[in-house]
Amino acid sequence: MPDQKIAAQPSGNDTDSTMAVTMSLIIGRLISLFIHETNNHLATLRESGGLGDDIISAHNLSDKEKLKELEKLLTAMDDRIGHAASLVRTFGELGRHMENPEGQLDINKAIEGVMPFLSKIARQKNLKIRTSYGHKLPAADGNFTGLQCLILALFDNFCLGLDPLTTASITTDKTISSVVVSLSADHFAASDDAKQPWPSKPLETFAVASGFAVSKLQQGGEVTISIKRID
Amino acid sequence: MNKARVMIVDDEHDFAATLAERLRLRSYDTHVVTSHNETLALINTIKPDVLLLDLNLPGISGIEILMTLRNVSPEVEVILLTGHMDLARSIEGLRLDSFHYIVKPFDIQELIEKIDAVRGRHA
């Protein structure tokens, strides 16, 4: 996604317009990731069902080996349906939060709510992902959906600068006055994408309007992006 | 005419393995690989007639894969597998017209017709 696309949009001074365009890009990205992953599940289920049909048509089902094969196939299909159902549930929860974006800001729950999509982004770029959640983080009221969208957009852009097989870490922790989400990696490449102004002005506007501040710290090849609630 | 030798390239291993088995039951000679690197390493050993290529392999864009394949193995017929109709259309838009595509999830009969059609061009 996006940062390039977001940067290409007219930013101007109209925060509402910037927010709307940025939100629309992020939602578009979410839908695209959801559909791609759902299609993968459906394609696997369709082929598995078809293979089951092939086995039944082509073999005598008193053959114990074939029955075992069929049983294994049905178990795999059940697992796959479980994964697809979990994805649909997560997507539904995102939608429910979007209807009521303000609420108690449980930062760990916000990350878990977008984790299937972050994992998909990491997988597409051949990256590993590691999470470390802080315990007993203080909750506060805030824009839950804004935080989720921000994490997704920042992670997507962050991954552009990472070489394949790098581990991207997502950490939550508390500071003296707030809680913070950090994205970090120790092999941040100086690619053209990574050299873009960052975060883009529209994404920064989106963060601030949603009640968050974003900062970037780069030391050599190691980079850390922090998202903090503005009190 | 012998049935085609088909190489399936998809990082969704369960999908690829199941599809390979279904094609094998229909007498196609099938091989599964799950990465771009593995494809490049094996394509000239397996020498497939038809390559079923997922356009969303990790770490590389679909266009890059197509360009590389054209150089490494120009004679292989490629059918793109994609979950995005838009992506397939944009590839068409690039006038890479020696490539065919099918959108996941698809009907096996539709795929077989495509495999036989592209294979027939070289028979």
Side-chain angles (χ1 to χ4, degrees):
Chain A
M1 179 177 69
D3 218 23
Q4 306 95 302
K5 280 190 196 166
I6 290 173
Q9 301 300 323
S11 55
N13 294 320
D14 187 344
T15 303
D16 284 348
S17 160
T18 303
M19 280 291 284
V21 170
T22 306
M23 191 70 176
S24 147
L25 286 166
I26 294 171
I27 290 172
R29 176 66 164 151
L30 265 174
I31 292 172
S32 171
L33 289 166
F34 173 73
I35 287 177
H36 189 239
E37 199 66 344
T38 304
N39 273 339
N40 276 335
H41 290 315
L42 289 175
T44 305
L45 283 169
R46 188 165 198 177
E47 291 315 313
S48 301
L51 180 57
D53 199 33
D54 289 347
I55 292 171
I56 290 167
S57 307
H59 300 281
N60 178 353
L61 284 186
S62 58
D63 179 341
K64 279 190 181 164
E65 281 304 306
K66 287 298 157 194
L67 272 178
K68 238 182 225 174
E69 200 179 318
L70 208 52
E71 196 180 331
K72 202 173 149 194
L73 198 62
L74 287 172
T75 305
M77 285 173 77
D78 193 49
D79 283 351
R80 182 63 72 155
I81 289 169
H83 288 307
S86 164
L87 183 70
V88 169
R89 208 163 32 243
T90 303
F91 196 62
E93 278 167 16
L94 278 172
R96 192 175 56 76
H97 279 298
M98 281 178 186
E99 286 180 320
N100 300 290
E102 296 288 334
Q104 200 174 58
L105 198 63
D106 181 330
I107 217 159
N108 291 346
K109 210 179 263 182
I111 294 172
E112 276 302 300
V114 287
M115 188 49 75
F117 306 101
L118 304 182
S119 300
K120 174 79 183 165
I121 290 167
R123 219 163 51 241
Q124 280 182 332
K125 296 184 165 72
N126 208 9
L127 304 170
K128 294 172 195 162
I129 191 166
R130 183 171 55 213
T131 53
S132 171
Y133 296 129
H135 295 293
K136 294 184 180 168
L137 301 180
D141 283 345
N143 186 337
F144 192 86
T145 290
L147 177 62
Q148 288 189 309
C149 288
L150 196 56
I151 290 168
L152 185 95
L154 290 172
F155 185 78
D156 209 357
N157 285 280
F158 178 63
C159 288
L160 289 175
L162 303 183
D163 290 328
L165 302 179
T166 301
T167 299
S169 297
I170 303 173
T171 311
T172 61
D173 206 354
K174 58 187 163 194
T175 61
I176 294 169
S177 59
S178 189
V179 288
V180 63
V181 183
S182 303
L183 312 175
S184 59
D186 54 5
H187 292 291
F188 199 75
S191 68
D192 287 344
D193 288 331
K195 285 176 192 161
Q196 297 291 321
W198 197 98
S200 65
K201 195 72 190 161
L203 200 50
E204 199 177 358
T205 304
F206 179 85
V208 172
S210 302
F212 300 96
V214 178
S215 59
K216 178 182 179 183
L217 177 67
Q218 184 158 4
Q219 288 176 317
E222 191 177 332
V223 71
T224 302
I225 313 296
S226 299
I227 309 166
K228 191 177 162 190
R229 196 170 74 89
I230 302 169
D231 290 310
Chain B
M1 180 173 68
N2 290 333
K3 293 274 185 157
R5 180 173 297 154
V6 180
M7 188 167 169
I8 303 169
V9 187
D10 199 311
D11 63 315
E12 281 280 328
H13 182 265
D14 288 351
F15 166 78
T18 312
L19 178 60
E21 180 63 10
R22 295 194 77 194
L23 291 173
R24 196 188 61 74
L25 287 170
R26 288 161 176 77
S27 303
Y28 292 88
D29 178 10
T30 57
H31 302 263
V32 171
V33 296
T34 55
S35 72
H36 173 241
N37 287 341
E38 210 183 341
T39 307
L40 293 184
L42 293 177
I43 194 162
N44 285 325
T45 309
I46 294 173
K47 295 188 189 306
D49 303 303
V50 180
L51 192 80
L52 304 181
L53 173 66
D54 175 34
L55 262 185
N56 276 285
L57 290 177
I60 185 162
S61 81
I63 306 290
E64 281 176 278
I65 299 173
L66 287 174
M67 293 306 181
T68 311
L69 280 172
R70 211 172 222 181
N71 290 329
V72 172
S73 190
E75 71 288 352
V76 69
E77 292 285 355
V78 178
I79 298 174
L80 304 173
L81 308 175
T82 173
H84 284 295
M85 178 64 96
D86 283 355
L87 194 52
R89 284 188 180 137
S90 64
I91 296 276
E92 268 190 329
L94 290 173
R95 298 184 183 282
L96 295 172
D97 54 4
S98 60
F99 299 101
H100 305 261
Y101 68 87
I102 190 162
V103 179
K104 289 182 191 174
F106 47 76
D107 184 273
I108 188 93
Q109 197 50 43
E110 192 189 343
L111 176 67
I112 285 169
E113 283 166 16
K114 276 185 193 288
I115 291 172
D116 290 346
V118 298
R119 160 86 160 140
R121 297 199 317 196
H122 279 266

